[in-house]
Amino acid sequence: MQLQPYEFEQDYFVYRYDGDFLGNIQPGSILRYAQQIATAQCTALGIDDSVYARTHTAYLLARLAFHVARLPRVDERLTLVTQPEAVHHAVNKRLTCIYDEQGEECVFVDSRWVLIDTDKRTILRNHPEEFSNHPWAEKLPRSLPMRIKKLTDAETVATLRADYSLCDMNGHLNNTRYADIIFNLLPLEVIRTQTVEDFLIYYHKEIPLGQSFRVCRAQMKENKWFFSGWHEDTCCFEANITMRPISQKENSRID
């Protein structure tokens, strides 16, 4: 595969701790792979912790969606290719494709990032020079739907806390852990009979280490769900999930 100047490629192995009870990769692991390759590309370009500290900036994930053609299996070797887009209206779009060993696309991830001033906690429309002088794509042709469908009758299904194992070095709930929480709170009969096809999440407000939050859930259609997370009266995240029935071949993997 011939890479464009703005593309970055890494190989990944699906370890068994990344898998679910069917032996498929967990949705949270998809987010972790996509986050890691984005970090790796920025580091390779010299955008590292020292740059963030010097410029008093940080990238925050605002929205993310992924579509599954086929969930990778444990023990599979994958290739990820990520493509960052130049800033438009204060947003950096980043696409990440997950390919199997045959070169077939398994998962497509569309994420939207914003660079913030960590002192003023404001979004930067004009980025410092350290973030601009790189071969970002001017405009990427692909995208996924990014409009959340909300339900007002969602009911609280859990009260949780941003505990040690869920938080990252920024001191708040890691972006990828929201998927773990959401899929943990789907009804068990859904998890046993359906698998994820589409996932969309909005990150509204960070949840700091040690803070409690409640998660609300509502079923939109037979295979569609709405989730939201609340810290006191503040909405921290919203998500839509589309599931599909597990195929007979996939079902045969259940012990």
Side-chain angles (χ1 to χ4, degrees), residues 41-226:
Q41 182 182 27
C42 286
T43 301
L45 292 171
I47 305 173
D48 56 16
D49 288 344
S50 65
V51 171
Y52 295 123
R54 186 171 65 253
T55 58
H56 301 273
T57 58
Y59 270 118
L60 293 184
L61 184 56
R63 301 180 182 186
L64 179 142
F66 68 71
H67 174 73
V68 176
R70 176 185 73 82
L71 279 175
R73 298 275 296 158
V74 297
D75 301 330
E76 272 200 70
R77 298 187 182 278
L78 307 171
T79 298
L80 271 68
V81 177
T82 191
Q83 305 169 313
E85 186 179 270
V87 62
H88 295 284
H89 305 293
V91 176
N92 283 107
K93 177 179 175 180
R94 179 180 284 272
L95 306 180
T96 302
C97 299
I98 301 178
Y99 300 98
D100 62 19
E101 287 190 279
Q102 288 70 47
E104 295 294 326
E105 184 179 286
C106 299
V107 184
F108 174 60
V109 184
D110 183 350
S111 57
R112 311 297 170 89
W113 297 78
V114 293
L115 190 69
I116 67 163
D117 182 316
T118 54
D119 294 330
K120 300 177 182 178
R121 303 302 294 179
T122 55
I123 296 173
L124 296 173
R125 290 186 170 272
N126 297 313
H127 290 184
E129 184 177 338
E130 290 91 337
F131 298 88
S132 302
N133 295 333
H134 297 289
W136 311 127
E138 181 56 32
K139 202 70 175 175
L140 293 171
R142 297 180 67 183
S143 63
L144 287 173
M146 283 283 176
R147 186 177 295 276
I148 284 277
K149 296 179 180 178
K150 304 182 182 186
L151 290 182
T152 58
D153 59 347
E155 297 182 350
T156 299
V157 290
T159 299
L160 306 172
R161 190 175 68 175
D163 286 325
Y164 165 80
S165 64
L166 300 177
C167 294
D168 56 26
M169 60 190 293
N170 295 313
H172 55 71
L173 194 66
N174 182 264
N175 297 325
T176 72
R177 297 298 178 183
Y178 291 81
D180 297 331
I181 290 167
I182 288 167
F183 281 87
N184 280 344
L185 293 176
L186 279 173
L188 191 55
E189 61 269 23
V190 172
I191 292 298
R192 284 177 169 158
T193 60
Q194 300 178 23
T195 186
V196 62
E197 185 172 54
D198 287 288
F199 178 82
L200 168 62
I201 185 168
Y202 286 8
Y203 300 95
H204 295 308
K205 184 75 173 178
E206 299 167 352
I207 304 176
L209 173 68
Q211 294 294 307
S212 296
F213 61 100
R214 56 189 175 89
V215 182
C216 300
R217 183 189 74 199
Q219 188 168 8
M220 302 164 65
K221 296 181 180 178
E222 182 179 359
N223 64 333
K224 294 179 182 292
W225 297 82
F226 169 75

